[in-house]
Every structure is written in structure tokens, then in C-alpha cells.
């Protein structure tokens, strides 16, 4: 499958901990987007990378960070986790910043206890 | 600031009835508007974009800059249209932030 791949699919951890979510974009896609979806919330835009560089930032907390590596996969690091960080985290990719269509992964469901 | 508003969390219609999913946006420049759909157990996927001005699965959406709206319409709803629909806006000015609304769940009743 050459679609967007996210790991892990499910993650349960405790408050105060740190986790890393991984995203592999579609083959050939240079742009990666991260979104957070909490209960009854829409998709909250966190951050976007294009070919390794940060291009746009949304309401991403300082406790969260991300990066895109030379092989174009991306990681979202969440630290000092709080109960409110429990959410579905989506990664999406696109060929470039102009094309417009986003291709989504299945999401990583994070539960903070 | 960019903002997308979908006022309805849930919309229930009967099969064969017309459907209109509302989307209003706030953006100072010239935005690109999109509708994404998530069917049960499937990934979120693009349904249509305003630039294409096309009809997909019988759905159309017209960008109304005066009313800052991009409502999704279908004249006759089908049961397979039941899904979660998200309106999205992509700005420009070199930032290309891609903002989504909170989504509307469409239920088409038999």
C-alpha cells in the first residue's frame, strides 16, 4: 500500500509522559500535515512541512514538536502529556503545496490516563 | 484569520430528499475551498474543490464570495451518502494553512 501510513494506530500512556507519532507520506509526496481531532472538535491544524522545512504552523502547543526527515517521513512528538491531549492525530500528505488535495492516514489514537 | 464554520453537527434527511450542508468561511484573501468526506471505516478523502467546478457523486458546491459560503448540495440524497462531511479552506500568501470545519454528519434515512 503506497498510501499514508501512521504508526502506532493506538497508544495508551500516562500523564506526564512523552510519545512519538510517526507518519510516512504517499510515495512522491513532499508535503506533510498534522491534525488533532478531539471529541466533538473538528480537525485542528497543527503544523505543515514541505520537503523537510516547516511551512505553516497552527495552534500547536509548545509541548508538541514535529519534524520531517530527509526520507520525507515525519514525526510528531508530544511531551508532558495531559488528559486533554487524548485525541485522534491525523497525518496527511500532498504532492506539493500547490496541488491542494490532501491524502489522509488512518490516524493514531492517543489515550492519556 | 482563517476560519471555517459548519453550523450543523448532524443533518438527517430522507432518501430522495434534497441535501444542503452549510459551510461559511472567514478569510481576507482569495481562498481555495474543499469538501472532504469520511465514509464509515474509510479514510478522509477529497470530495470536491471549488476550482474544479465539477459534480462528484451528484454533489455540487458553489463558492459565494459575497456571502463567504461554500455550501454542498445534492438534489436527491442516497443512503450511501451517509457520512461525515468536512469543509476545508486553504489560504495563500505563502503559508498554505489548510483549515477544516468541525464537520457535519449526514444521515440519509430509508
Amino acid at each position: 500500500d503506497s498510501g499514508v501510513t501512521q504508526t502506532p494506530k493506538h497508544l495508551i500512556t500516562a500523564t506526564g509522559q512523552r510519545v512519538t507519532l510517526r507518519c510516512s507520506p504517499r510515495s512522491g509526496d513532499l508535503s506533510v500535515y498534522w491534525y488533532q481531532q478531539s471529541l466533538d472538535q473538528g480537525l485542528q491544524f497543527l503544523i505543515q512541512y514541505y520537503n523537510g522545512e516547516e511551512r505553516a504552523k497552527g495552534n500547536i502547543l509548545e509541548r508538541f514538536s514535529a519534524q520531517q526527515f530527509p526520507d520525507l517521513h515525519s514525526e510528531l512528538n508530544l511531551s508532558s502529556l495531559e488528559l486533554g491531549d487524548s485525541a485522534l492525530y491525523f497525518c496527511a500528505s500532498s504532492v506539493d503545496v500547490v496541488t491542494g488535495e490532501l491524502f489522509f492516514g488512518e490516524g493514531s489514537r492517543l489515550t492519556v490516563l | 484569520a482563517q476560519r471555517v464554520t459548519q453550523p450543523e453537527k448532524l443533518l438527517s434527511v430522507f432518501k430522495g430528499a434534497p441535501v444542503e450542508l452549510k459551510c461559511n468561511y472567514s478569510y481576507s484573501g482569495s481562498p481555495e475551498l474543499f469538501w472532504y468526506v469520511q465514509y464509515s471505516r474509510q479514510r478522509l478523502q477529497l470530495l470536491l474543490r471549488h476550482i474544479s467546478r465539477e459534480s462528484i457523486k451528484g454533489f455540487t458546491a458553489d463558492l459565494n464570495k459575497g456571502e463567504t459560503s461554500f455550501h454542498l448540495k445534492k438534489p436527491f440524497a442516497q443512503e450511501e451518502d451517509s457520512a461525515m462531511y468536512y469543509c476545508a479552506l486553504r489560504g495563500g500568501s505563502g503559508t498554505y494553512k489548510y483549515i477544516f470545519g468541525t464537520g457535519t454528519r449526514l444521515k440519509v434515512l430509508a
Side-chain angles (χ1 to χ4, degrees), chain A residues 4 35 37 57 97-98 100, chain B residues 36 43 86 90 97-98:
Chain A
V4 178
Y35 291 88
Q37 185 178 42
K57 217 169 188 176
V97 293
V98 176
Chain B
Y36 280 78
R43 302 182 184 205
Y86 293 92
R90 190 179 75 167
K97 277 189 182 180
Y98 214 122

Side-chain angles (χ1 to χ4, degrees), chain A residues 27-48:
Chain A
S27 176
D29 283 1
L30 299 177
S31 198
V32 169
Y33 299 74
W34 285 100
Y35 291 88
Q36 178 193 55
Q37 185 178 42
S38 304
L39 196 63
D40 285 341
Q41 302 268 337
L43 290 156
Q44 300 294 314
F45 172 69
L46 296 178
I47 199 163
Q48 182 217 347

Side-chain angles (χ1 to χ4, degrees), chain B residues 2 9 33 40 43 49 51-52 59 84 95:
Chain B
Q2 292 173 233
K9 279 191 174 182
L33 275 296
S40 179
R43 302 182 184 205
R49 66 189 85 186
I51 289 178
S52 303
F59 284 98
M84 194 74 183
T95 64

